[in-house]
Amino acid sequence: MKNTFFFLSVILFLASCGGSKKAKSSSTGLFLTGTKWTVLKIQDVMSTGSMNSRTLELTLPDKKGTGTISGNGGCNLFNGGYTSEKGTKKIQFTNIAATKMMCGEDKQEQKFFNALNSVNSYELSGNILKLYSGGELSLTLEGVNIVK
């Protein structure tokens, strides 16, 4: 399973290296895709108590606005898809699947996955990505450029 995820991650990373970018932050040059996003807050609560950082990466969307996501929920690895509408701040994550490792009680991981499933828009400012559900802030993430 780890080899499959590693292989998938490498392919997704290489696919994100070419083409035009989805959305760019004007002040730092970070893009929605080609950036490793680390969760700072789930709703208003700081992200804590996990074995690993909660992360999210998006691949470049195709012409229909469909791309893939992958990351770490804090204990379990996950992947899925997303759809976006060009020229808007609309985004929706779909078909999120995660590994089922024994991780102890990490209640924030389930809150993280629930938040991802309900996201319908985003705001990108500097190195901060905010994901919203029905106008309510669901996740706050900090980005690091992974594409050179």
Side-chain angles (χ1 to χ4, degrees):
M1 181 70 179
K2 286 184 180 182
N3 288 340
T4 301
F5 183 76
F6 175 76
F7 180 72
L8 179 62
S9 296
V10 169
I11 288 184
L12 295 176
F13 173 76
L14 292 175
S16 70
C17 290
S20 63
K21 303 301 181 200
K22 171 76 176 115
K24 182 178 179 181
S25 170
S26 59
S27 61
T28 64
L30 290 181
F31 295 97
L32 188 58
T33 60
T35 302
K36 183 174 187 174
W37 297 102
T38 301
V39 177
L40 298 176
K41 292 182 182 180
I42 302 171
Q43 292 155 343
D44 295 9
V45 180
M46 294 298 289
S47 179
T48 60
S50 66
M51 296 169 53
N52 301 298
S53 296
R54 294 177 219 291
T55 61
L56 173 66
E57 294 178 34
L58 294 85
T59 63
L60 289 171
D62 62 19
K63 290 181 180 180
K64 295 180 182 177
T66 302
T68 60
I69 61 169
S70 62
N72 190 315
C75 174
N76 290 290
L77 302 175
F78 71 92
N79 60 35
Y82 76 93
T83 57
S84 60
E85 293 180 30
K86 187 174 183 175
T88 72
K89 299 290 184 177
K90 293 181 181 179
I91 191 166
Q92 184 174 13
F93 300 107
T94 59
N95 301 320
I96 297 173
T99 58
K100 302 287 184 197
M101 298 179 4
M102 299 292 288
C103 305
E105 279 195 49
D106 185 359
K107 294 177 183 177
Q108 280 194 339
E109 183 172 68
Q110 189 57 50
K111 289 181 181 180
F112 170 65
F113 289 136
N114 291 342
L116 276 180
N117 278 312
S118 67
V119 165
N120 57 18
S121 65
Y122 71 92
E123 177 185 325
L124 181 56
S125 177
N127 65 337
I128 300 297
L129 172 64
K130 293 182 178 181
L131 300 174
Y132 295 90
S133 173
E136 297 289 322
L137 181 61
S138 294
L139 296 166
T140 304
L141 303 96
E142 181 177 36
V144 174
N145 189 347
I146 58 174
V147 177
K148 304 251 181 197

